[in-house]
Amino acid sequence: MTALNPGSPEASGMSSVALARIDDHLKRRYIDAGRFPGTQLMVYRRGNLVHHSVQGFADLERKVLLKDDTIFRIYSMTKPITSVAFMMLVEQGLVALDDPVHKHIPEWKNLGVFQAGAAPAFMTRPPSRPMQIVDLLRHTSGLTYGFQQRTSVDAAYRDKQIGALDLAGTLDSMIADLAGIPLEFSPGEAWNYSVSTDVIGYLIGRISGTPFDRFLKERIFDPLGMADTGFFVPAGKAHRLAACYSADAGGMMPAHSPAATSGLTLQDDPATSPFLSPPGFISGGGGLCSTAADYLTFCRALLNGGELGGVRLIGPKTLALMTSNHLPGNRDLPEVSRSMFSEATYSGIGFGLGFAVTINPAKTLIAGSPGEYAWGGVATTSFWIDPAEELIAIFMTQVIPSTAYPVRRELRTMVYAAITDSNL
């Protein structure tokens, strides 16, 4: 693996003063105000790590400072890794994007589309076409998440605990349960954030013949040296796992918090976290823990066309396919989405195979570049990669939900404001 080169911001076309302004913003608006326990930010440009800051606490109750090697629950930042792993199988000719999903999951051959009713007495109709593999990768499958709380189908997911990480059974039981629940819509007709990437994880194991978690370790994590990334935190590293906190939907912290000085409510204690033990449900949609440095390594491989230090994950043409907009008619997310789920707005944003993709920066009302791709996790972790500007940004904290504050928009605005020499 290619070593990470620290470099001065100015030598890479960025302003050290403007980057320091981001740290001050995070400290004043979020850490000192009791909104975040701590933050970690990495900015990488033109082959160099130009900014790295660590502030605040990993664990407020025990007064453990956040450090360079703190381990975070990255939740849905798992999805891009799972999607890349699946495309490795596509490149091997083992599966095609237009394969019907029932070719690989025969028990799903007769899935219907919801019309009326509630479990177990759903009324359904046949889909307009079979679900394809590409539908899983771009979230146009008709599947959903129980936390959407919009429909009777969502309610059936909650009843079966589908996608609920530590409560969700196994990948095999998820597939069996989903065989008995109708789709929200006919595949390809809309976009709905869902357990689709968990299904992709199941398919990786089934198609490759290697258990999904082992596949990621052997094909991605070990070759790239991502030693701190996995579906649980082993005992020898448990002291590095951050605490996770919660805010209510409006972004106000409950006053009855055990961490009275901050107002944060402890959501997952790192001393008793389910992430300390191997899970029964290996979630390709949200199960990984990682460090900022490990995730930057993964992103560097993508920015470099799918290869880093002689380790190739996927080819540049495959990556270009993944980071193209795959929404029908080249539309953006607000035009086709059945649900929204984060503080970010999605005007001008499409969706590829595992990533959100910027298709029209002007519509986003945020500085950026066409072709930039990104995603985030429910605990407010996030990343984006801008190939045109040779830029990566990784942000880590642990506050649920990501809807609480507009930090992702603020970070994009301020990081792009720090560019003094644009490639465009």
Side-chain angles (χ1 to χ4, degrees):
M1 184 184 67
T2 302
L4 185 61
N5 298 318
S8 78
E10 281 72 20
S12 295
M14 300 193 77
S15 164
S16 55
V17 172
L19 289 168
R21 189 182 302 133
I22 304 173
D23 297 340
D24 181 63
H25 175 79
L26 290 171
K27 185 175 187 299
R28 287 185 297 100
R29 180 170 175 79
Y30 291 104
I31 298 173
D32 291 350
R35 294 183 172 102
F36 290 168
T39 62
Q40 185 171 5
L41 174 65
M42 302 182 91
V43 180
Y44 177 92
R45 186 157 196 247
R46 293 179 177 172
N48 297 299
L49 180 64
V50 298
H51 187 73
H52 182 201
S53 66
V54 178
Q55 303 186 85
F57 290 91
D59 183 335
L60 287 165
E61 285 69 29
R62 297 174 180 86
K63 303 302 180 189
V64 176
L65 291 173
L66 199 149
K67 300 177 182 177
D68 289 353
D69 65 351
T70 294
I71 297 173
F72 301 87
R73 302 153 194 79
I74 63 170
Y75 290 113
S76 286
M77 281 168 61
T78 304
K79 289 179 169 71
I81 294 175
T82 301
S83 300
V84 167
F86 187 85
M87 294 304 290
M88 296 166 81
L89 300 180
V90 173
E91 287 193 332
Q92 290 177 241
L94 298 177
V95 59
L97 294 179
D98 59 356
D99 278 356
V101 173
H102 68 252
K103 175 181 177 180
H104 305 280
I105 308 178
E107 53 269 51
W108 282 18
K109 186 170 185 178
N110 296 314
L111 284 179
V113 176
F114 174 78
Q115 289 288 91
F122 286 114
M123 294 177 61
T124 67
R125 61 173 174 83
S128 300
R129 65 160 173 82
M131 184 194 304
Q132 297 177 336
I133 294 293
V134 69
D135 292 312
L136 294 170
L137 287 161
R138 68 184 180 187
H139 294 282
T140 57
S141 61
L143 300 173
T144 190
Y145 268 126
F147 65 70
Q148 304 275 19
Q149 300 194 27
R150 295 171 47 253
T151 68
S152 296
V153 176
D154 297 336
Y157 277 53
R158 291 194 298 277
D159 182 61
K160 294 286 188 179
Q161 300 288 353
I162 292 172
L165 293 184
D166 56 318
L167 304 174
T170 65
L171 284 172
D172 286 336
S173 68
M174 176 191 71
I175 296 299
D177 287 339
L178 288 172
I181 301 175
L183 303 174
E184 289 267 21
F185 50 84
S186 192
E189 290 184 355
W191 187 93
N192 189 52
Y193 202 41
S194 73
V195 299
S196 288
T197 318
D198 289 318
V199 179
I200 288 291
Y202 168 83
L203 287 172
I204 288 171
R206 186 159 188 161
I207 294 167
S208 71
T210 301
F212 171 48
D213 52 342
R214 201 172 91 205
F215 185 96
L216 292 189
K217 178 175 170 56
E218 293 177 355
R219 299 287 296 273
I220 297 179
F221 303 151
D222 286 352
L224 287 180
M226 295 171 63
D228 292 325
T229 303
F231 288 99
F232 72 100
V233 179
K237 299 180 181 181
H239 64 286
R240 291 165 51 195
L241 178 63
C244 194
Y245 297 89
S246 66
D248 71 17
M252 299 300 293
M253 298 296 177
H256 58 273
S257 167
T261 58
S262 70
L264 289 163
T265 299
L266 185 64
Q267 184 267 342
D268 185 26
D269 189 329
T272 58
S273 174
F275 284 98
L276 297 176
S277 303
F281 179 62
I282 311 297
S283 172
L288 285 174
C289 293
S290 189
T291 60
D294 269 12
Y295 210 87
L296 179 61
T297 295
F298 173 70
C299 290
R300 288 171 65 206
L302 299 186
L303 182 61
N304 198 44
E307 179 270 337
L308 186 65
V311 174
R312 179 160 294 283
L313 302 181
I314 54 175
K317 297 297 288 186
T318 299
L319 181 60
L321 178 67
M322 294 184 72
T323 56
S324 299
N325 184 25
H326 284 258
L327 297 182
N330 198 36
R331 290 176 290 177
D332 62 11
L333 282 166
E335 293 179 282
V336 296
S337 178
R338 291 290 178 91
S339 61
M340 285 294 150
F341 48 87
S342 115
E343 46 79 16
T345 59
Y346 287 95
S347 294
I349 305 294
F351 205 86
L353 307 182
F355 308 89
V357 181
T358 299
I359 54 178
N360 187 340
K363 286 185 70 175
T364 72
L365 300 182
I366 310 172
S369 307
E372 166 194 317
Y373 53 101
W375 206 237
V378 71
T380 316
T381 60
S382 63
F383 80 97
W384 78 90
I385 299 172
D386 184 337
E389 293 290 1
E390 303 171 77
L391 174 75
I392 301 167
I394 310 282
F395 178 71
M396 298 289 194
T397 190
Q398 297 280 261
V399 174
I400 292 175
S402 62
T403 53
Y405 305 107
V407 66
R408 292 175 181 169
R409 293 177 63 84
E410 294 167 355
L411 286 171
R412 283 175 181 266
T413 298
M414 299 183 81
V415 168
Y416 278 115
I419 292 178
T420 55
D421 180 24
S422 174
N423 290 345
L424 298 178

